[in-house]
Structure formats: structure tokens, C-alpha cells
Amino acid sequence: MRQLTFASLQVTNLDASKEFYTEKLGFEIDNSNPQACVFKYNQGEASFAIRTPLEPIDEKELGVGVALWFAVSEDLDQLNAKFISNGVATVQPIFDTPFGRAFHVKDIDGYKLTFLDPK
């Protein structure tokens, strides 16, 4: 294998998740249908989808053990402040990683999203 080309997260409420990703985090919708919504970020450099469940997810805790990392070109401090002003709770303050500075947020289903300013 050379690379992961796409990721899709199962969500409990497609419309609420779509609003979170567009209104709170600023992702753009690439395309959408009644079962899924594909997002792009930074003119399509990163893309992933949210979708209706492929199997029953009632009583299951989504997001545990899943993290998506996005390398960003924006100023990390300003991006973090923008998310906070949009009502997005960060998991912890900006921290240093071996790959650069980063911070985490969680979506409404508990999926962890990491925004990284790479070295």
C-alpha cells in the first residue's frame, strides 16, 4: 500500500454533523447525497466523508480510538481561536508533537480531529 486515499465516518445525525463541519470548522462540501456528505479542505487538498451508518450503531460509542489529522497552512493559534469562537471545544491547548504544533477538537459523535502546523 502507498497511501490512504479516503476516510468515511459513520455519524448518528447526518444533517447535524454536516452543519458542525461546515459552520463550526469551515469545511467545504464537495458533494452530498441522502446517505453521505464529502468534504474538502484547503481547495480539496484533504477530503473525507461523513455518512449514515452502514450497520446499526444504536447504543455504540462512536469516535473512540479514531483520530483524523489535518495539516494546515493557517496560523494555528488563529485557527484554534476561530474554532473556539464558533463554539467548538478543544480537547486540550495547543501542544508540540514530533511533527509540529497541533490541537485536537471532537465532533458531535466523539471523533477526534487534529489540526497540525507541520514543521
Side-chain angles (χ1 to χ4, degrees):
M1 287 185 254
R2 294 184 307 132
Q3 73 183 80
L4 173 67
T5 59
F6 196 71
S8 176
L9 305 175
Q10 295 181 71
V11 297
T12 55
N13 183 319
L14 187 64
D15 290 331
S17 290
K18 189 186 304 185
E19 182 179 330
F20 175 84
Y21 280 94
T22 56
E23 300 301 319
K24 305 280 186 181
L25 299 181
F27 283 88
E28 300 170 40
I29 296 174
D30 189 35
N31 64 66
S32 184
N33 64 56
Q35 290 81 35
C37 179
V38 178
F39 296 105
K40 62 182 179 177
Y41 191 80
N42 199 23
Q43 289 86 39
E45 288 184 11
S47 64
F48 70 102
I50 56 173
R51 64 159 298 115
T52 56
L54 295 168
E55 59 187 62
I57 58 173
D58 297 332
E59 307 299 319
K60 293 188 179 175
E61 188 174 6
L62 300 177
V64 173
V66 176
L68 299 180
W69 286 61
F70 297 94
V72 298
S73 56
E74 298 99 316
D75 178 272
L76 202 65
D77 296 292
Q78 290 178 2
L79 185 63
N80 187 37
K82 179 176 106 176
F83 288 172
I84 290 170
S85 72
N86 286 346
V88 177
T90 57
V91 175
Q92 67 187 71
I94 294 174
F95 59 96
D96 291 319
T97 76
F99 316 108
R101 295 175 66 231
F103 68 91
H104 304 298
V105 303
K106 283 189 179 180
D107 80 356
I108 60 178
D109 285 300
Y111 293 106
K112 188 183 286 185
L113 309 170
T114 303
F115 296 88
L116 171 75
D117 180 6
K119 290 183 174 182

